[in-house]
Amino acid sequence: FLMGRYPITQQQYQDVIGKNPAQFLQRWWKNPVQLGNPRRKSNQNFPVETVTWFDAIRFCNALSKLEGLPHYYEYGGDEQDVQIRGGLGYRLPTEAEWEYAARSESDQLWWFSAADPAELNQYVWCSTPTPRKGPQDVGRTRSNWFGLYDMLGNVWEWCWDWYDPSYYTRSPSVNPTGPDGGEKRVVRGGSWDVSDMNSRSAIRDGNKPTEKFNDIGFRIARSLNESVT
């Protein structure tokens, strides 16, 4: 499968959906050093946040349409009943895909091994050891071994799966696809607002698909084989 190198940014979301729901919106300030442009827009490269799981699903289908790909999801008036249509369109990663991509073949607490907590600043944008006031531009911390950025920290990321705290005590050992139903959808990766220990590769949580918070965003994936859903 293919995984987005970065979380979806505010600019990308604006370009595809036509609006920017993020709480950490573009801000303007005077910048006399930048000649000819005393007021400069910022934050378009911040990850989009304050989006529901359904918003992420709609983005995937909208981007597929823009690029001439068949949409991956089907849903009607009742968005509680989102179904996988399949194919090569854009989609959310499964939780198993997300963790595989985040770990990048590492079995460490994070994808890297940091003996000094201060080193975390190079890899994870989280509240340890320095409290943060919000997200930052994607790609400012180091990529993991797969070349993916911000898999840990910055914003939590929605995954496809329903959330069950005990699912992996009984799940298939190869490519588990999550429980058949539930009340919450999985978020992974931690964020700017949580500690380093809550931004580890194994940390998982869930939120209702209609909920939105200023520390939850998403990244997108695609299948390489139409038969894989």
Side-chain angles (χ1 to χ4, degrees):
F1 65 96
L2 303 173
M3 181 73 92
R5 181 170 291 180
Y6 309 99
I8 295 300
T9 66
Q10 291 185 24
Q11 186 65 60
Q12 289 172 320
Y13 196 91
Q14 173 78 43
D15 290 345
V16 173
I17 300 298
K19 62 181 180 180
N20 182 1
Q23 178 174 317
F24 294 94
L25 290 171
Q26 286 88 342
R27 295 189 291 266
W28 300 80
W29 72 95
K30 293 182 179 180
N31 182 7
V33 175
Q34 191 171 0
L35 298 177
N37 186 12
R39 293 168 65 82
R40 182 165 62 94
K41 192 190 310 187
S42 176
N43 295 4
Q44 59 262 46
N45 287 324
F46 275 23
V48 70
E49 25 78 12
T50 320
V51 287
T52 69
W53 181 85
F54 293 125
D55 290 334
I57 293 294
R58 284 190 284 265
F59 178 92
C60 290
N61 275 6
L63 182 60
S64 294
K65 181 178 180 180
L66 282 174
E67 297 196 3
L69 297 169
H71 54 272
Y72 189 82
Y73 299 111
E74 291 281 5
Y75 54 86
D78 182 5
E79 293 177 339
Q80 297 285 348
D81 188 26
V82 178
Q83 302 294 327
I84 293 177
R85 183 184 184 211
L88 300 180
Y90 291 101
R91 59 180 177 82
L92 293 179
T94 67
E95 184 176 12
E97 289 173 334
W98 187 96
E99 184 162 340
Y100 175 80
R103 287 188 177 278
S104 58
E105 301 185 343
S106 168
D107 61 0
Q108 303 294 319
L109 294 180
W110 303 274
W111 62 265
F112 55 93
S113 178
D116 182 354
E119 294 180 27
L120 283 164
N121 289 327
Q122 302 176 41
Y123 303 97
V124 183
W125 186 253
C126 64
S127 65
T128 306
T130 305
R132 310 297 183 185
K133 295 182 179 180
Q136 66 169 356
D137 286 357
V138 302
R140 291 191 64 183
T141 52
R142 293 186 179 183
S143 72
N144 68 12
W145 306 125
F146 284 167
L148 305 176
Y149 293 83
D150 299 285
M151 293 297 295
L152 304 179
N154 217 356
V155 292
W156 292 92
E157 298 180 7
W158 288 112
C159 295
W160 162 257
D161 307 42
W162 290 106
Y163 176 67
D164 179 348
S166 61
Y167 174 68
Y168 290 109
T169 64
R170 62 184 187 279
S171 70
S173 59
V174 177
N175 197 28
T177 55
D180 294 332
E183 294 183 354
K184 297 180 178 181
R185 295 283 183 170
V186 169
V187 292
R188 297 295 301 260
S191 76
W192 59 269
D193 198 30
V194 301
S195 70
D196 56 345
M197 296 305 292
N198 284 320
S199 297
R200 292 176 286 123
S201 299
I203 288 295
R204 54 195 303 266
D205 204 349
N207 289 97
K208 292 181 179 180
T210 54
E211 292 180 319
K212 51 187 175 182
F213 300 95
N214 65 5
D215 63 348
I216 299 180
F218 66 100
R219 78 176 66 218
I220 56 177
R222 283 185 63 193
S223 298
L224 288 171
N225 187 324
E226 289 193 30
S227 65
V228 177
T229 59

